[in-house]
Amino acid sequence: MEQLDGFDLKILSELQRDGHLTNNELSERIALSPSQCSRRRSRLEAEGYITGYQAQIDRQKLGLDLMVVISVTLATHNRDNAKRFGKLVSGLPEVLEAYALTGEMDYHLRVVTPDLAGLSRFVNDVLLPHDSVQHVKTSIVLETLKSFEGLPIPERVKG
């Protein structure tokens, strides 16, 4: 963070809200020349502060009406089993996010399926038969109170 100044933070904030911004549009929003915006954007990308750009897609328009949080407990707790489970999850397009946890459950998965039948197939035909999995607990999302809208970017650098 020490390498970032107020303009860098403003660039990150604006691009997080709208990744389509041209350097001209960005320069108008943060009061910096388009060439400076371009150089700073390129540096932020090269240094890994900006890791990519992607469109936000409405899952329900694609027929993915059911969102589920699935808690998974592994059959055994060792590195090889965790790797097997990680490999399984990384190849499943239904899994939007996967987190290794401390506590009672080993993993939480955020999953989308078209319907209950799709969820049943995913749990019973994909997760439960896998040799790394001991227990699965599903929770259907009834309502989304807040979706990810971006990271909280500070207005200025500390120091």
Side-chain angles (χ1 to χ4, degrees):
M1 274 282 289
E2 292 129 17
Q3 303 172 22
L4 301 181
D5 64 15
F7 286 114
D8 292 328
L9 296 173
K10 287 178 185 177
I11 288 171
L12 292 174
S13 183
E14 291 296 331
L15 288 176
Q16 188 169 239
R17 270 187 235 128
D18 183 356
H20 279 123
L21 290 177
T22 66
N23 289 321
N24 286 336
E25 293 166 331
L26 190 56
S27 73
E28 290 173 15
R29 291 188 185 193
I30 68 167
L32 195 64
S33 74
S35 61
Q36 276 293 319
C37 283
S38 177
R39 280 193 286 280
R40 286 172 179 261
R41 176 188 261 180
S42 294
R43 180 179 56 80
L44 291 167
E45 290 170 351
E47 292 177 358
Y49 287 98
I50 298 172
T51 59
Y53 301 88
Q54 66 188 78
Q56 294 178 354
I57 299 170
D58 185 326
R59 67 179 168 82
Q60 291 175 309
K61 288 191 183 271
L62 294 177
L64 299 169
D65 293 328
L66 200 61
M67 185 180 304
V68 184
V69 177
I70 300 178
S71 302
V72 177
T73 304
L74 295 183
T76 58
H77 292 89
N78 61 53
R79 188 174 306 187
D80 290 338
N81 205 35
K83 283 183 180 179
R84 279 195 303 277
F85 183 73
K87 186 175 180 181
L88 168 69
V89 167
S90 68
L92 298 172
E94 300 91 344
V95 177
L96 304 181
E97 296 174 317
Y99 302 98
L101 306 172
T102 61
E104 183 181 340
M105 303 306 265
D106 297 315
Y107 295 91
H108 275 190
L109 311 177
R110 190 166 65 98
V111 173
V112 292
T113 64
D115 51 27
L116 284 172
L119 173 61
S120 178
R121 280 189 299 279
F122 182 78
V123 170
N124 293 315
D125 298 344
V126 177
L127 289 181
L128 285 175
H130 197 267
D131 61 350
S132 66
V133 175
Q134 176 185 7
H135 179 74
V136 171
K137 180 180 175 183
T138 62
S139 299
I140 295 172
V141 174
L142 297 177
E143 180 182 1
T144 301
L145 301 178
K146 181 178 181 182
S147 293
F148 180 73
E149 296 173 358
L151 297 173
I153 297 176
E155 292 183 20
R156 58 185 172 90
V157 180
K158 295 179 183 176

